[in-house]
């Protein structure tokens, strides 16, 4: 566990309504090379989405389930029925890499807050990031509340 390290206590209290919280730890002036910490509320997560850029994510604490779907190259304004390709359970020390077109869904399958560290080519809120409605397949801009 990382609780006695650089991790702040606030990181362990994600936004329950959203299912997670995001803290930006670093980014360049042009929003490139963004490093952020994601805090996932127990048994909640994020809907199917892309990042609109490349990313590398490392799980620091807890256990996260990542459902990976068939890539989407032109998200707007099309309908994209989701096709599940793989499910990966990531525990502390495991990392995943994603390309711009990769679609995944994240669910904290721990009975406590899970934490992960992500490095993005550009801050996702400045990219073409979308979420996919799992029932209709409709793509929409993925807007997340950020803590800072």
């Amino acid at each position: 566990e990382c609780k006695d390290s650089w991790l702040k206590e606030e990181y362990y209290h994600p936004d329950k309504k959203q299912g997670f919280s995001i803290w930006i730890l670093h980014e360049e002036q042009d929003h490139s090379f963004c490093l952020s910490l994601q805090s996932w509320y127990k048994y909640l997560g994020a809907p199917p989405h892309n990042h609109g850029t490349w990313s590398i994510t490392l799980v620091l604490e807890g256990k996260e389930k990542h459902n990976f779907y068939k890539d989407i190259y032109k998200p707007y304004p099309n309908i994209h029925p989701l096709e599940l390709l793989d499910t990966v359970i990531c525990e502390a020390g495991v990392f995943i890499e994603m390309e711009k077109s990769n679609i995944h869904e994240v669910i904290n399958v721990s009975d406590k807050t899970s934490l992960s560290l992500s490095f993005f080519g550009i801050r996702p809120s400045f990219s073409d990031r979308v979420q996919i409605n799992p029932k209709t397949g409709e793509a929409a801009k993925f807007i997340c509340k950020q803590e800072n």
Side-chain angles (χ1 to χ4, degrees):
E1 225 174 76
C2 300
K3 272 196 172 182
D4 296 327
S5 66
W6 59 273
L7 296 168
K8 298 176 184 176
E9 181 60 31
E10 66 186 343
Y11 297 160
Y12 292 88
H13 305 285
D15 182 313
K16 185 176 181 181
K17 184 177 180 184
Q18 180 171 258
F20 59 94
S21 289
I22 300 170
W23 285 269
I24 304 300
L25 304 177
H26 171 82
E27 69 181 321
E28 295 296 315
Q29 197 167 17
D30 65 356
H31 306 291
S32 65
F33 302 112
C34 177
L35 182 66
S36 67
L37 184 119
Q38 284 73 236
S39 173
W40 303 94
Y41 198 86
K42 61 183 179 180
Y43 306 118
L44 296 178
H49 65 280
N50 69 358
H51 293 154
T53 185
W54 59 262
S55 66
I56 300 171
T57 298
L58 171 68
V59 177
L60 299 174
E61 293 185 21
K63 191 184 292 187
E64 299 172 8
K65 177 181 172 182
H66 290 257
N67 291 321
F68 291 94
Y69 299 93
K70 186 176 179 182
D71 291 0
I72 295 174
Y73 297 96
K74 290 186 172 186
Y76 293 116
N78 302 323
I79 302 297
H80 305 279
L82 292 172
E83 181 182 329
L84 183 65
L85 299 176
D86 196 12
T87 296
V88 177
I89 303 295
C90 298
E91 297 188 55
V94 173
F95 71 92
I96 59 169
E97 302 171 50
M98 291 182 59
E99 296 181 22
K100 180 178 181 173
S101 59
N102 295 157
I103 302 291
H104 79 140
E105 172 183 32
V106 183
I107 302 164
N108 175 2
V109 292
S110 307
D111 60 359
K112 61 180 183 173
T113 299
S114 70
L115 302 176
S116 50
L117 193 63
S118 293
F119 185 48
F120 299 100
I122 189 166
R123 185 174 176 169
S125 56
F126 288 88
S127 74
D128 292 329
R129 178 157 101 167
V130 297
Q131 69 181 35
I132 308 298
N133 182 312
K135 293 179 182 170
T136 66
E138 185 176 358
K141 182 99 174 129
F142 189 20
I143 300 171
C144 302
K145 175 184 165 197
Q146 296 179 334
E147 301 302 325
N148 58 343

